[in-house]
Amino acid sequence: MWKEDDMRKNLKEARQRAGMTQREVAERLRIGERRYQDIEYGKTLGSIKHWDALEDLFRIPQRQLRQNIHPDKQENQ
């Protein structure tokens, strides 16, 4: 199960710290604004290419940006 709130919070905060709008991020990723919104809102994961670009853009490791999207099953063992 995705933890959409965590991903939304992480991406939104990173985007805001960068002083960017969703449209500006979408343009940098070369995707539509709606597509980026779906990624930021946790409706879709996006491609590896998108996450690589987000990592470079925000200078935050993508693992941190995607934190808690898919909890590690071994965490509870």
Side-chain angles (χ1 to χ4, degrees):
M1 180 174 150
W2 293 13
K3 292 198 175 186
E4 298 167 7
D5 291 339
D6 291 338
M7 182 169 76
R8 177 184 168 113
K9 179 182 167 207
N10 293 344
L11 278 178
K12 183 177 181 179
E13 286 179 0
R15 177 177 55 77
Q16 290 175 334
R17 277 193 303 267
M20 299 180 78
T21 65
Q22 289 177 333
R23 180 181 303 240
E24 290 169 328
V25 174
E27 287 173 358
R28 295 288 288 276
L29 296 180
R30 298 178 189 233
I31 61 175
E33 184 177 359
R34 182 65 171 172
R35 175 79 172 140
Y36 175 72
Q37 288 172 343
D38 287 347
I39 294 170
E40 186 174 296
Y41 296 160
K43 293 181 180 179
T44 185
L45 274 177
S47 71
I48 291 171
K49 179 177 87 172
H50 296 142
W51 285 101
D52 287 345
L54 288 166
E55 179 178 56
D56 292 342
L57 182 61
F58 298 140
R59 295 185 175 128
I60 298 172
Q62 58 185 284
R63 180 175 288 199
Q64 186 177 340
L65 289 172
R66 298 184 313 188
Q67 185 176 354
N68 296 325
I69 294 175
H70 291 105
D72 187 355
K73 291 179 185 176
Q74 298 198 15
E75 213 173 84
N76 298 326
Q77 292 181 355

